[in-house]
Amino acid sequence: MVPERETTARERAASGATAASRARARLDQPRPPRRRLLPEWDPESFGRLSERVARFLGTGRFIVWMTVVIILWVVWNIAAPSGLRFDEYPFIFLTLALSLQASYAAPLILLAQNRQDDRDRVNLEQDRKQNERSIADTEYLTREIAALRIGLGEVATRDWIRSELQDALKELEERQNGHRPDRGVLPADRPAGRDVHDR
């Protein structure tokens, strides 16, 4: 019986060894990045580079340098001795170089324009949200001012009180000057007897 137990323990150890030798995938850790055949680049840095190149291609300095290079190229290949010429009259190599430069410049300019369009779109969205907030604030302040005006319409102002006091003063002066001798200003000034206005 002892040999049977030893064989089963050996079998378990052997099967455990093969299981341990297999690589287990851990679910609590991210996988290591896979190798790719294509080169990787940072799109943000590539976009910044394309904007710099497009900005340079749109300057007068680039046009002047390109004109100088083309003139030197043509003059050298016409006036130089035949052994030193590297591009004969139809200037095929010059045409190829200019085509290559244009084929790279056009996509870089388009990429720079796309990035600028994205920035403009974000700025327009932020401006639109700011305008909506400003309109909402303006409408709120307009409602508050209207409510204050309605509330102040029922409050006596200084000018209204002044005009009422002036009217009362004129009435007092008229009574004192004798325009209304039957009525006095104060109840003691009124004539004795029953007042008509007490009814």
Side-chain angles (χ1 to χ4, degrees):
M1 289 196 158
V2 174
E4 290 178 10
R5 287 184 184 171
E6 289 178 4
T7 56
T8 55
R10 286 181 193 162
E11 288 175 3
R12 286 184 191 160
S15 65
T18 57
S21 65
R22 273 190 299 185
R24 289 187 177 179
R26 299 219 29 195
L27 299 177
D28 61 340
Q29 294 178 355
R31 284 185 173 180
R34 295 181 183 177
R35 291 187 179 182
R36 296 184 180 180
L37 298 176
L38 298 175
E40 294 182 20
W41 64 87
D42 182 20
E44 188 65 27
S45 62
F46 189 73
R48 285 194 300 268
L49 175 68
S50 68
E51 285 179 344
R52 275 191 236 133
V53 170
R55 199 171 291 124
F56 175 70
L57 291 177
T59 60
R61 180 186 299 168
F62 171 74
I63 293 172
V64 168
W65 280 109
M66 188 170 170
T67 305
V68 167
V69 167
I70 290 172
I71 289 172
L72 290 175
W73 187 297
V74 171
V75 169
W76 178 267
N77 287 306
I78 289 175
S82 60
L84 296 176
R85 294 180 191 167
F86 56 89
D87 194 14
E88 293 295 327
Y89 163 66
F91 306 119
I92 295 172
F93 188 49
L94 176 64
T95 306
L96 177 66
L98 292 176
S99 299
L100 183 65
Q101 181 262 331
S103 67
Y104 274 99
L108 288 174
I109 291 170
L110 288 174
L111 180 60
Q113 286 178 347
N114 288 340
R115 285 173 55 87
Q116 185 61 41
D117 289 342
D118 293 341
R119 279 196 298 269
D120 290 343
R121 192 176 304 115
V122 169
N123 289 337
L124 285 174
E125 184 66 23
Q126 289 176 350
D127 289 344
R128 186 185 63 78
K129 288 180 181 178
Q130 181 64 34
N131 288 340
E132 286 177 358
R133 286 193 295 268
S134 298
I135 289 171
D137 291 344
T138 305
E139 289 176 354
Y140 172 74
L141 290 174
T142 304
R143 286 193 300 269
E144 289 296 317
I145 290 172
L148 286 173
R149 284 184 179 172
I150 290 171
L152 285 176
E154 299 171 0
V155 174
T157 61
R158 183 176 16 178
D159 295 334
W160 181 79
I161 292 173
R162 187 176 290 146
S163 66
E164 289 296 318
L165 287 174
Q166 286 175 353
D167 291 343
L169 185 61
K170 285 180 185 177
E171 187 177 338
L172 284 173
E173 288 175 356
E174 287 175 1
R175 288 181 184 175
Q176 284 180 355
N177 291 338
H179 291 281
R180 288 186 171 180
D182 58 339
R183 283 184 71 198
V185 177
L186 298 172
D189 296 335
R190 292 182 185 161
R194 189 169 178 178
D195 192 0
V196 181
H197 299 289
D198 289 341
R199 293 179 194 166

